[in-house]
Amino acid sequence: TTSPIVTGGSVVAVKFRGGVVLACDTMLSYGGTLKFKDVCRIEQLEPDLFVAASGEYSDFMEVVRVLRNKSRESFLHADGVTLSHRDYGNFLRNLQYSKRNKFDPYYDTFVLAGVRGGQPFISTVDMYGDQFEQDSALTGLGKYFGTPLINNQWNPDCSEEQAIQAVGEVFKMLYLRDCKGHDQVDFLILREAGVERRRARVNGEWNHDMFRTHANEKRKR
Amino acid sequence: RIGTSAAAASGKRATASTERKMASLSVCQPQCGGFSFEYSKRNALLEAEITKLGCNIPAARKTGTTICGVVFKDGVVLGADTRATEGMIVADKNCSKIHYISPNIYCCGAGTAADTEMTTQLISSNLELHSLSTGRLPRIATANRMLKQMLFRYQGYIGAALVLGGVDSTGPHLYSIYPHGSTDKLPYVTMGSGSLAAMAVFEDRFKQDMEEEEAKQLVRDAIAAGIFNDLGSGSNIDLCVITEGKVDYLRPHDEANKKGVRSGSYKYKRGTTGVLSKTVIPFNLEVVEETIQTMDTS
């Protein structure tokens, strides 16, 4: 893809003490049109590894298919060896880089999130083949609007509630200031014990009195 | 020449020749306003040639920047960072981006440094004349109107993105003005490359009718978000608090990026280099004049 058609918005993932929060909104845009309002953009690869992406949705579906095939292939070896989270990240990086060198990228920035052996894991791979394993991941406009918010309100060793709160703030910010932002957000909370899905609606009220214009009122002198 | 020909008896022929000279002069210099694009083609050719040699043409100095403003209960707080960039190099570590327009109106400027400086100075001058003519303290709406009309006239070629704020007889007002001449009147605005980071902080914590200290802290935090998250902004935080009858120009309000102090001394001890011989010749000089010019050695 060189010009995306159906696109997904920003993805945010942060580590907390003993787990990861992965969140994205539930909308797909068709250019400037809000085409799909209720889409879960988080896909499962393994019981403890999930992937989400911002960018062209058809490329995301294809890459998920490829990654799931890799997982199945490894399972069919029946040798007790499973692919690690880092292996998925590295494979994705090689895939993205080789596609980019052929001038035919998968037009997405992927975020992998998982917990294994008590260790939380987050990896991002963009459409150029840059891969980063970090404590937090923000894609799209979330990078610009969200980074200052999470820097102020979150650290990798915080509690689960604090992490969810910080991520929620980012999506509220995106709903207010990103044209392609949506108020309904899917949260995926990964812990060693298990996985929890939540769906929430962001409060995007900005009814400050000073935003009202007085164009049609008689001005008091 | 005209004086001597008038005194001479054959006045007619002499004046005719001077008139012809005057006519040819005026043809050589036609009067026209606005920007002249005569050299655009030549500059493009020069640029192509220079890049072929592997060099770069000097970049215009931009102010990178995070600027913002907020309206609070009694007035307006304007904030700005202090980094000026030339391409990807920091040209000035402590430039002043909050410009004076009138005693009750100040303007932050982002974009091309020369454009913001000159534009605000021009409007400040015109506004002072206007204020003397009306006999009243100038209004922010007037400054806004003057700025937008000038910027629109130049169709965006003047790269000045401004945050204009102040307090006048009708209350506190805040405007954002874009290079093409559009303006927005809002309770909180941010401009510049760090505007998204600053806006994130504003959207999170802005409340209507804040107190002065709360508003100053909010603006300080918004500029800090721009400084630490945007590469085009940096160094210190300047604030300008404008209330009825009072202006606090706090420069710097917060030295967020102070240069570290060297912990070791790199001076060589006397005697490191062996001295073979020493001759001292005293110069008997008389001090005539002493001037001190400070230099930024930070």
mmCIF file of all heavy atoms in Angstrom, chain B residues 105-149:
data_model
loop_
_atom_site.group_PDB
_atom_site.id
_atom_site.type_symbol
_atom_site.label_atom_id
_atom_site.label_comp_id
_atom_site.label_asym_id
_atom_site.label_seq_id
_atom_site.Cartn_x
_atom_site.Cartn_y
_atom_site.Cartn_z
ATOM 1 N N ILE B 105 -1.001 45.190 25.889
ATOM 2 C CA ILE B 105 -1.111 44.100 24.911
ATOM 3 C C ILE B 105 0.279 43.561 24.584
ATOM 4 O O ILE B 105 1.178 44.321 24.236
ATOM 5 C CB ILE B 105 -1.766 44.574 23.590
ATOM 6 C CG1 ILE B 105 -3.120 45.234 23.838
ATOM 7 C CG2 ILE B 105 -1.941 43.405 22.640
ATOM 8 C CD1 ILE B 105 -3.708 45.874 22.611
ATOM 9 N N TYR B 106 0.442 42.225 24.696
ATOM 10 C CA TYR B 106 1.689 41.573 24.301
ATOM 11 C C TYR B 106 1.383 40.465 23.315
ATOM 12 O O TYR B 106 0.254 39.966 23.251
ATOM 13 C CB TYR B 106 2.417 41.019 25.537
ATOM 14 C CG TYR B 106 3.210 42.071 26.262
ATOM 15 C CD1 TYR B 106 2.571 43.028 27.057
ATOM 16 C CD2 TYR B 106 4.589 42.133 26.151
ATOM 17 C CE1 TYR B 106 3.298 44.004 27.711
ATOM 18 C CE2 TYR B 106 5.320 43.103 26.814
ATOM 19 C CZ TYR B 106 4.673 44.034 27.598
ATOM 20 O OH TYR B 106 5.397 45.006 28.249
ATOM 21 N N CYS B 107 2.395 40.089 22.506
ATOM 22 C CA CYS B 107 2.168 39.121 21.430
ATOM 23 C C CYS B 107 3.318 38.121 21.367
ATOM 24 O O CYS B 107 4.478 38.513 21.278
ATOM 25 C CB CYS B 107 2.069 39.880 20.114
ATOM 26 S SG CYS B 107 1.628 38.851 18.733
ATOM 27 N N CYS B 108 2.994 36.811 21.435
ATOM 28 C CA CYS B 108 4.026 35.789 21.251
ATOM 29 C C CYS B 108 4.115 35.470 19.769
ATOM 30 O O CYS B 108 3.092 35.446 19.082
ATOM 31 C CB CYS B 108 3.661 34.491 21.961
ATOM 32 S SG CYS B 108 3.188 34.693 23.644
ATOM 33 N N GLY B 109 5.309 35.168 19.265
ATOM 34 C CA GLY B 109 5.460 34.901 17.844
ATOM 35 C C GLY B 109 6.179 33.612 17.536
ATOM 36 O O GLY B 109 7.258 33.342 18.064
ATOM 37 N N ALA B 110 5.603 32.800 16.648
ATOM 38 C CA ALA B 110 6.237 31.577 16.160
ATOM 39 C C ALA B 110 6.378 31.699 14.654
ATOM 40 O O ALA B 110 5.670 32.464 14.016
ATOM 41 C CB ALA B 110 5.377 30.373 16.503
ATOM 42 N N GLY B 111 7.287 30.884 14.068
ATOM 43 C CA GLY B 111 7.492 30.941 12.628
ATOM 44 C C GLY B 111 8.818 31.606 12.320
ATOM 45 O O GLY B 111 9.786 31.476 13.055
ATOM 46 N N THR B 112 8.895 32.324 11.230
ATOM 47 C CA THR B 112 10.147 32.990 10.839
ATOM 48 C C THR B 112 10.427 34.141 11.792
ATOM 49 O O THR B 112 9.609 35.049 11.941
ATOM 50 C CB THR B 112 10.041 33.507 9.400
ATOM 51 O OG1 THR B 112 9.513 32.474 8.578
ATOM 52 C CG2 THR B 112 11.399 33.927 8.867
ATOM 53 N N ALA B 113 11.633 34.084 12.429
ATOM 54 C CA ALA B 113 11.950 35.046 13.491
ATOM 55 C C ALA B 113 11.860 36.502 13.031
ATOM 56 O O ALA B 113 11.280 37.346 13.722
ATOM 57 C CB ALA B 113 13.347 34.767 14.041
ATOM 58 N N ALA B 114 12.418 36.798 11.861
ATOM 59 C CA ALA B 114 12.410 38.184 11.362
ATOM 60 C C ALA B 114 10.984 38.662 11.142
ATOM 61 O O ALA B 114 10.635 39.793 11.458
ATOM 62 C CB ALA B 114 13.201 38.273 10.066
ATOM 63 N N ASP B 115 10.158 37.774 10.595
ATOM 64 C CA ASP B 115 8.768 38.162 10.306
ATOM 65 C C ASP B 115 8.004 38.493 11.579
ATOM 66 O O ASP B 115 7.288 39.493 11.639
ATOM 67 C CB ASP B 115 8.046 37.020 9.559
ATOM 68 C CG ASP B 115 8.528 36.898 8.111
ATOM 69 O OD1 ASP B 115 9.176 37.835 7.621
ATOM 70 O OD2 ASP B 115 8.256 35.861 7.484
ATOM 71 N N THR B 116 8.144 37.661 12.614
ATOM 72 C CA THR B 116 7.392 37.943 13.842
ATOM 73 C C THR B 116 7.899 39.237 14.475
ATOM 74 O O THR B 116 7.103 40.054 14.931
ATOM 75 C CB THR B 116 7.503 36.805 14.873
ATOM 76 O OG1 THR B 116 8.883 36.623 15.201
ATOM 77 C CG2 THR B 116 6.924 35.512 14.358
ATOM 78 N N GLU B 117 9.212 39.425 14.484
ATOM 79 C CA GLU B 117 9.806 40.622 15.094
ATOM 80 C C GLU B 117 9.327 41.891 14.393
ATOM 81 O O GLU B 117 8.807 42.809 15.010
ATOM 82 C CB GLU B 117 11.332 40.494 14.980
ATOM 83 C CG GLU B 117 12.117 41.521 15.743
ATOM 84 C CD GLU B 117 12.071 41.285 17.237
ATOM 85 O OE1 GLU B 117 12.185 40.126 17.669
ATOM 86 O OE2 GLU B 117 11.882 42.277 17.955
ATOM 87 N N MET B 118 9.476 41.928 13.072
ATOM 88 C CA MET B 118 9.132 43.139 12.318
ATOM 89 C C MET B 118 7.644 43.409 12.299
ATOM 90 O O MET B 118 7.198 44.553 12.408
ATOM 91 C CB MET B 118 9.668 43.028 10.890
ATOM 92 C CG MET B 118 11.169 43.056 10.787
ATOM 93 S SD MET B 118 11.803 44.681 11.147
ATOM 94 C CE MET B 118 12.733 44.383 12.589
ATOM 95 N N THR B 119 6.860 42.347 12.148
ATOM 96 C CA THR B 119 5.403 42.520 12.096
ATOM 97 C C THR B 119 4.893 43.092 13.410
ATOM 98 O O THR B 119 4.098 44.047 13.419
ATOM 99 C CB THR B 119 4.714 41.170 11.810
ATOM 100 O OG1 THR B 119 5.241 40.648 10.608
ATOM 101 C CG2 THR B 119 3.219 41.331 11.685
ATOM 102 N N THR B 120 5.351 42.527 14.531
ATOM 103 C CA THR B 120 4.854 43.028 15.820
ATOM 104 C C THR B 120 5.330 44.456 16.067
ATOM 105 O O THR B 120 4.567 45.274 16.597
ATOM 106 C CB THR B 120 5.286 42.125 16.993
ATOM 107 O OG1 THR B 120 6.675 41.825 16.851
ATOM 108 C CG2 THR B 120 4.507 40.841 17.007
ATOM 109 N N GLN B 121 6.554 44.769 15.629
ATOM 110 C CA GLN B 121 7.039 46.147 15.818
ATOM 111 C C GLN B 121 6.233 47.139 14.994
ATOM 112 O O GLN B 121 5.901 48.232 15.459
ATOM 113 C CB GLN B 121 8.512 46.244 15.429
ATOM 114 C CG GLN B 121 9.434 45.787 16.527
ATOM 115 C CD GLN B 121 10.889 45.832 16.117
ATOM 116 O OE1 GLN B 121 11.225 46.261 15.013
ATOM 117 N NE2 GLN B 121 11.749 45.395 17.005
ATOM 118 N N LEU B 122 5.895 46.744 13.759
ATOM 119 C CA LEU B 122 5.124 47.635 12.884
ATOM 120 C C LEU B 122 3.748 47.913 13.467
ATOM 121 O O LEU B 122 3.295 49.059 13.554
ATOM 122 C CB LEU B 122 5.001 47.006 11.489
ATOM 123 C CG LEU B 122 4.266 47.829 10.443
ATOM 124 C CD1 LEU B 122 5.077 49.041 10.073
ATOM 125 C CD2 LEU B 122 3.960 47.000 9.210
ATOM 126 N N ILE B 123 3.082 46.834 13.894
ATOM 127 C CA ILE B 123 1.732 47.005 14.444
ATOM 128 C C ILE B 123 1.784 47.745 15.768
ATOM 129 O O ILE B 123 0.896 48.556 16.077
ATOM 130 C CB ILE B 123 1.000 45.643 14.544
ATOM 131 C CG1 ILE B 123 0.142 45.411 13.300
ATOM 132 C CG2 ILE B 123 0.077 45.572 15.716
ATOM 133 C CD1 ILE B 123 0.864 45.263 12.016
ATOM 134 N N SER B 124 2.838 47.541 16.534
ATOM 135 C CA SER B 124 2.980 48.262 17.804
ATOM 136 C C SER B 124 3.069 49.758 17.542
ATOM 137 O O SER B 124 2.411 50.576 18.207
ATOM 138 C CB SER B 124 4.233 47.780 18.519
ATOM 139 O OG SER B 124 4.549 48.627 19.576
ATOM 140 N N SER B 125 3.856 50.104 16.527
ATOM 141 C CA SER B 125 4.034 51.517 16.162
ATOM 142 C C SER B 125 2.730 52.120 15.684
ATOM 143 O O SER B 125 2.300 53.182 16.138
ATOM 144 C CB SER B 125 5.106 51.588 15.076
ATOM 145 O OG SER B 125 5.123 52.841 14.493
ATOM 146 N N ASN B 126 2.058 51.406 14.768
ATOM 147 C CA ASN B 126 0.785 51.918 14.239
ATOM 148 C C ASN B 126 -0.275 52.024 15.324
ATOM 149 O O ASN B 126 -1.091 52.948 15.333
ATOM 150 C CB ASN B 126 0.276 51.007 13.117
ATOM 151 C CG ASN B 126 1.110 51.152 11.858
ATOM 152 O OD1 ASN B 126 1.825 52.123 11.690
ATOM 153 N ND2 ASN B 126 1.019 50.178 10.974
ATOM 154 N N LEU B 127 -0.239 51.069 16.250
ATOM 155 C CA LEU B 127 -1.242 51.058 17.310
ATOM 156 C C LEU B 127 -1.027 52.224 18.270
ATOM 157 O O LEU B 127 -1.984 52.802 18.791
ATOM 158 C CB LEU B 127 -1.182 49.725 18.057
ATOM 159 C CG LEU B 127 -2.408 49.338 18.862
ATOM 160 C CD1 LEU B 127 -3.617 49.212 17.965
ATOM 161 C CD2 LEU B 127 -2.178 48.031 19.588
ATOM 162 N N GLU B 128 0.242 52.581 18.484
ATOM 163 C CA GLU B 128 0.523 53.728 19.364
ATOM 164 C C GLU B 128 -0.008 55.017 18.740
ATOM 165 O O GLU B 128 -0.637 55.841 19.406
ATOM 166 C CB GLU B 128 2.024 53.850 19.623
ATOM 167 C CG GLU B 128 2.323 54.912 20.674
ATOM 168 C CD GLU B 128 3.783 54.964 21.079
ATOM 169 O OE1 GLU B 128 4.513 53.989 20.805
ATOM 170 O OE2 GLU B 128 4.171 55.980 21.660
ATOM 171 N N LEU B 129 0.178 55.156 17.420
ATOM 172 C CA LEU B 129 -0.344 56.342 16.733
ATOM 173 C C LEU B 129 -1.863 56.353 16.803
ATOM 174 O O LEU B 129 -2.489 57.383 17.051
ATOM 175 C CB LEU B 129 0.124 56.335 15.268
ATOM 176 C CG LEU B 129 1.617 56.599 15.047
ATOM 177 C CD1 LEU B 129 1.998 56.276 13.614
ATOM 178 C CD2 LEU B 129 1.969 58.037 15.373
ATOM 179 N N HIS B 130 -2.462 55.187 16.597
ATOM 180 C CA HIS B 130 -3.916 55.067 16.649
ATOM 181 C C HIS B 130 -4.439 55.415 18.029
ATOM 182 O O HIS B 130 -5.452 56.116 18.183
ATOM 183 C CB HIS B 130 -4.305 53.629 16.270
ATOM 184 C CG HIS B 130 -5.773 53.402 16.185
ATOM 185 N ND1 HIS B 130 -6.513 52.886 17.222
ATOM 186 C CD2 HIS B 130 -6.654 53.636 15.185
ATOM 187 C CE1 HIS B 130 -7.778 52.801 16.876
ATOM 188 N NE2 HIS B 130 -7.893 53.254 15.633
ATOM 189 N N SER B 131 -3.719 54.937 19.047
ATOM 190 C CA SER B 131 -4.120 55.190 20.431
ATOM 191 C C SER B 131 -4.037 56.680 20.763
ATOM 192 O O SER B 131 -4.895 57.218 21.470
ATOM 193 C CB SER B 131 -3.220 54.364 21.348
ATOM 194 O OG SER B 131 -3.231 54.860 22.633
ATOM 195 N N LEU B 132 -3.024 57.357 20.248
ATOM 196 C CA LEU B 132 -2.907 58.808 20.466
ATOM 197 C C LEU B 132 -4.018 59.543 19.745
ATOM 198 O O LEU B 132 -4.548 60.542 20.219
ATOM 199 C CB LEU B 132 -1.552 59.314 19.960
ATOM 200 C CG LEU B 132 -0.355 58.930 20.822
ATOM 201 C CD1 LEU B 132 0.934 59.133 20.052
ATOM 202 C CD2 LEU B 132 -0.326 59.746 22.105
ATOM 203 N N SER B 133 -4.406 59.001 18.587
ATOM 204 C CA SER B 133 -5.480 59.632 17.812
ATOM 205 C C SER B 133 -6.821 59.475 18.508
ATOM 206 O O SER B 133 -7.621 60.397 18.567
ATOM 207 C CB SER B 133 -5.502 59.007 16.405
ATOM 208 O OG SER B 133 -6.689 59.328 15.752
ATOM 209 N N THR B 134 -7.094 58.266 19.051
ATOM 210 C CA THR B 134 -8.386 58.042 19.715
ATOM 211 C C THR B 134 -8.386 58.591 21.130
ATOM 212 O O THR B 134 -9.454 58.831 21.691
ATOM 213 C CB THR B 134 -8.716 56.544 19.803
ATOM 214 O OG1 THR B 134 -7.659 55.884 20.509
ATOM 215 C CG2 THR B 134 -8.885 55.918 18.436
ATOM 216 N N GLY B 135 -7.217 58.730 21.728
ATOM 217 C CA GLY B 135 -7.115 59.184 23.112
ATOM 218 C C GLY B 135 -7.465 58.107 24.112
ATOM 219 O O GLY B 135 -7.781 58.386 25.256
ATOM 220 N N ARG B 136 -7.476 56.840 23.675
ATOM 221 C CA ARG B 136 -7.858 55.738 24.563
ATOM 222 C C ARG B 136 -6.784 54.666 24.575
ATOM 223 O O ARG B 136 -5.961 54.592 23.672
ATOM 224 C CB ARG B 136 -9.149 55.080 24.067
ATOM 225 C CG ARG B 136 -10.381 55.939 24.119
ATOM 226 C CD ARG B 136 -11.534 55.163 23.447
ATOM 227 N NE ARG B 136 -12.810 55.793 23.672
ATOM 228 C CZ ARG B 136 -13.297 56.777 22.933
ATOM 229 N NH1 ARG B 136 -12.600 57.249 21.926
ATOM 230 N NH2 ARG B 136 -14.488 57.293 23.211
ATOM 231 N N LEU B 137 -6.848 53.823 25.583
ATOM 232 C CA LEU B 137 -5.955 52.663 25.636
ATOM 233 C C LEU B 137 -6.342 51.720 24.484
ATOM 234 O O LEU B 137 -7.533 51.473 24.272
ATOM 235 C CB LEU B 137 -6.149 51.954 26.988
ATOM 236 C CG LEU B 137 -5.075 50.988 27.448
ATOM 237 C CD1 LEU B 137 -3.787 51.727 27.719
ATOM 238 C CD2 LEU B 137 -5.546 50.268 28.701
ATOM 239 N N PRO B 138 -5.356 51.206 23.731
ATOM 240 C CA PRO B 138 -5.729 50.373 22.575
ATOM 241 C C PRO B 138 -6.411 49.066 22.982
ATOM 242 O O PRO B 138 -6.168 48.535 24.061
ATOM 243 C CB PRO B 138 -4.385 50.079 21.900
ATOM 244 C CG PRO B 138 -3.359 50.341 22.913
ATOM 245 C CD PRO B 138 -3.899 51.351 23.844
ATOM 246 N N ARG B 139 -7.278 48.567 22.086
ATOM 247 C CA ARG B 139 -7.983 47.317 22.330
ATOM 248 C C ARG B 139 -7.307 46.181 21.598
ATOM 249 O O ARG B 139 -6.720 46.387 20.538
ATOM 250 C CB ARG B 139 -9.433 47.409 21.870
ATOM 251 C CG ARG B 139 -10.197 48.460 22.631
ATOM 252 C CD ARG B 139 -11.661 48.392 22.310
ATOM 253 N NE ARG B 139 -12.379 49.471 23.010
ATOM 254 C CZ ARG B 139 -13.695 49.577 23.043
ATOM 255 N NH1 ARG B 139 -14.435 48.682 22.427
ATOM 256 N NH2 ARG B 139 -14.262 50.583 23.688
ATOM 257 N N ILE B 140 -7.411 44.984 22.160
ATOM 258 C CA ILE B 140 -6.784 43.811 21.554
ATOM 259 C C ILE B 140 -7.424 43.533 20.195
ATOM 260 O O ILE B 140 -6.756 43.136 19.244
ATOM 261 C CB ILE B 140 -6.888 42.566 22.467
ATOM 262 C CG1 ILE B 140 -6.092 42.794 23.754
ATOM 263 C CG2 ILE B 140 -6.331 41.351 21.796
ATOM 264 C CD1 ILE B 140 -6.865 43.391 24.851
ATOM 265 N N ALA B 141 -8.743 43.760 20.078
ATOM 266 C CA ALA B 141 -9.425 43.521 18.801
ATOM 267 C C ALA B 141 -8.835 44.377 17.694
ATOM 268 O O ALA B 141 -8.759 43.956 16.533
ATOM 269 C CB ALA B 141 -10.916 43.799 18.944
ATOM 270 N N THR B 142 -8.392 45.587 18.053
ATOM 271 C CA THR B 142 -7.776 46.484 17.067
ATOM 272 C C THR B 142 -6.448 45.915 16.590
ATOM 273 O O THR B 142 -6.186 45.850 15.377
ATOM 274 C CB THR B 142 -7.514 47.873 17.681
ATOM 275 O OG1 THR B 142 -8.622 48.249 18.474
ATOM 276 C CG2 THR B 142 -7.256 48.903 16.612
ATOM 277 N N ALA B 143 -5.616 45.477 17.550
ATOM 278 C CA ALA B 143 -4.319 44.879 17.180
ATOM 279 C C ALA B 143 -4.536 43.650 16.312
ATOM 280 O O ALA B 143 -3.839 43.444 15.317
ATOM 281 C CB ALA B 143 -3.548 44.505 18.445
ATOM 282 N N ASN B 144 -5.543 42.847 16.679
ATOM 283 C CA ASN B 144 -5.876 41.647 15.921
ATOM 284 C C ASN B 144 -6.232 42.001 14.487
ATOM 285 O O ASN B 144 -5.747 41.403 13.531
ATOM 286 C CB ASN B 144 -7.049 40.927 16.607
ATOM 287 C CG ASN B 144 -7.481 39.697 15.853
ATOM 288 O OD1 ASN B 144 -6.690 38.850 15.528
ATOM 289 N ND2 ASN B 144 -8.772 39.616 15.558
ATOM 290 N N ARG B 145 -7.103 43.015 14.345
ATOM 291 C CA ARG B 145 -7.561 43.415 13.018
ATOM 292 C C ARG B 145 -6.396 43.896 12.175
ATOM 293 O O ARG B 145 -6.260 43.539 10.992
ATOM 294 C CB ARG B 145 -8.629 44.510 13.176
ATOM 295 C CG ARG B 145 -9.492 44.768 11.959
ATOM 296 C CD ARG B 145 -10.121 43.520 11.381
ATOM 297 N NE ARG B 145 -11.336 43.103 12.045
ATOM 298 C CZ ARG B 145 -12.558 43.378 11.598
ATOM 299 N NH1 ARG B 145 -12.717 44.082 10.513
ATOM 300 N NH2 ARG B 145 -13.610 42.941 12.250
ATOM 301 N N MET B 146 -5.508 44.716 12.770
ATOM 302 C CA MET B 146 -4.346 45.240 12.033
ATOM 303 C C MET B 146 -3.425 44.110 11.584
ATOM 304 O O MET B 146 -2.958 44.084 10.446
ATOM 305 C CB MET B 146 -3.550 46.190 12.923
ATOM 306 C CG MET B 146 -4.211 47.509 13.162
ATOM 307 S SD MET B 146 -3.184 48.447 14.295
ATOM 308 C CE MET B 146 -3.891 50.048 14.114
ATOM 309 N N LEU B 147 -3.172 43.152 12.507
ATOM 310 C CA LEU B 147 -2.256 42.063 12.182
ATOM 311 C C LEU B 147 -2.828 41.191 11.080
ATOM 312 O O LEU B 147 -2.135 40.860 10.119
ATOM 313 C CB LEU B 147 -1.982 41.216 13.436
ATOM 314 C CG LEU B 147 -1.018 41.840 14.433
ATOM 315 C CD1 LEU B 147 -1.147 41.177 15.783
ATOM 316 C CD2 LEU B 147 0.410 41.750 13.937
ATOM 317 N N LYS B 148 -4.116 40.823 11.205
ATOM 318 C CA LYS B 148 -4.684 39.907 10.201
ATOM 319 C C LYS B 148 -4.782 40.567 8.839
ATOM 320 O O LYS B 148 -4.540 39.913 7.817
ATOM 321 C CB LYS B 148 -6.021 39.341 10.649
ATOM 322 C CG LYS B 148 -7.140 40.339 10.687
ATOM 323 C CD LYS B 148 -8.537 39.798 10.469
ATOM 324 C CE LYS B 148 -8.960 38.628 11.238
ATOM 325 N NZ LYS B 148 -10.355 38.408 11.316
ATOM 326 N N GLN B 149 -5.081 41.867 8.811
ATOM 327 C CA GLN B 149 -5.183 42.535 7.510
ATOM 328 C C GLN B 149 -3.829 42.596 6.808
ATOM 329 O O GLN B 149 -3.746 42.437 5.592
ATOM 330 C CB GLN B 149 -5.782 43.935 7.687
ATOM 331 C CG GLN B 149 -7.273 43.888 7.848
ATOM 332 C CD GLN B 149 -7.892 45.235 8.121
ATOM 333 O OE1 GLN B 149 -7.204 46.223 8.353
ATOM 334 N NE2 GLN B 149 -9.216 45.273 8.094
#
